[in-house]
């Protein structure tokens, strides 16, 4: 039987680093749903449409051919035939993703892609509404969080390692704005499901976070 692990939480809490490690440890597939919203953000930006121009964004959706594939356990996100993984992590596209993700039609557009991926594999899926909307029946739900300052410190470092030098203050400001957008939007707000276990890793490094998450997962999957 396949099982589903929902991993939600705000930007920069370390969901993707954690999910990659858990997927490897358990031999399951890691799905990064943020990459899908980012790809929609990239597409509309390329078309010269502002991500808050809801009607225009909606009119572009039928043109978007988005798919994911897995190579050596890594998710690749494709726009048509183009692998856009290297283009979707900039501050501009992060903000565009946050804006388009508040549009109900965009969420509906991506819903089946996300659900279908769990039909043929056990998955750990990271996002904002995986435990609340996509898989209310997930076997394990973890809400990973950390203080905005801890998240901004990590994100600044991560960006600079990719050669993108953005001042800490700007990253922190972006994180606070995106948190607010993501948490307060009417549709699928980024909040913990009532049955999620909240894991705050402000004081934990990656190893500590992996160990804590594995303990939660093993106890829940064993119960199931
Ligand atoms: O996880 P991320 O930072 O790559 O996500 C990019 C944006 O997409 C983020 O602002 C919130 C949004 N998002 C969402 O609304 N629902 C998801 N399941 C995943 C991401």
């Amino acid at each position: 039987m396949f099982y589903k692990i929902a991993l939600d939480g705000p930007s920069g809490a370390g969901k993707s680093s954690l999910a990659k490690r858990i997927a490897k440890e358990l031999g399951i597939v890691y799905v990064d749903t943020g990459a899908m919203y980012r790809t929609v953000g990239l597409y509309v930006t390329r078309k010269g449409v502002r991500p808050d121009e809801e009607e225009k964004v909606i009119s572009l959706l039928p043109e978007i051919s988005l798919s994911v594939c897995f190579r050596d356990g890594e998710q690749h996100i494709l726009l048509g035939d183009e692998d856009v993984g290297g283009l979707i992590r900039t501050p501009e596209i992060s903000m565009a993703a946050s804006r388009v993700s508040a549009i109900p039609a965009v969420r509906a557009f991506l819903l089946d892609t996300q659900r279908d991926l769990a039909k043929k594999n056990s998955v750990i899926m990271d996002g904002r509404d995986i435990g609340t909307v996509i898989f209310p029946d997930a076997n394990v739900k973890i809400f990973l969080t950390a203080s905005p300052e801890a998240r901004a410190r990590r994100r600044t470092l991560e960006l600079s390692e990719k050669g993108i030098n953005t001042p800490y203050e700007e990253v922190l400001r972006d994180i606070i704005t995106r948190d607010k957008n993501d948490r307060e939007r009417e549709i699928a707000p980024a909040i913990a499901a009532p049955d999620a276990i909240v894991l705050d890793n402000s004081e934990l490094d990656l190893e500590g976070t992996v160990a804590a998450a594995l303990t939660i997962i093993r106890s829940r999957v064993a119960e199931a």
Side-chain angles (χ1 to χ4, degrees), residues 191-211:
I191 50 171
D195 53 346
I197 295 179
V198 177
L199 177 55
D200 185 321
N201 72 357
S202 303
E203 306 294 328
L204 294 176
D205 62 7
L206 179 59
E207 294 311 317
T209 310
V210 170

Side-chain angles (χ1 to χ4, degrees), residues 44 47-60 99-100 103:
V44 303
K47 289 282 173 182
V49 167
R50 283 205 329 269
D52 55 355
E53 293 180 293
E54 190 164 333
E55 292 308 315
K56 288 190 184 164
V57 171
I58 293 172
S59 72
L60 291 178
R99 300 246 182 264
V100 297
I103 303 174

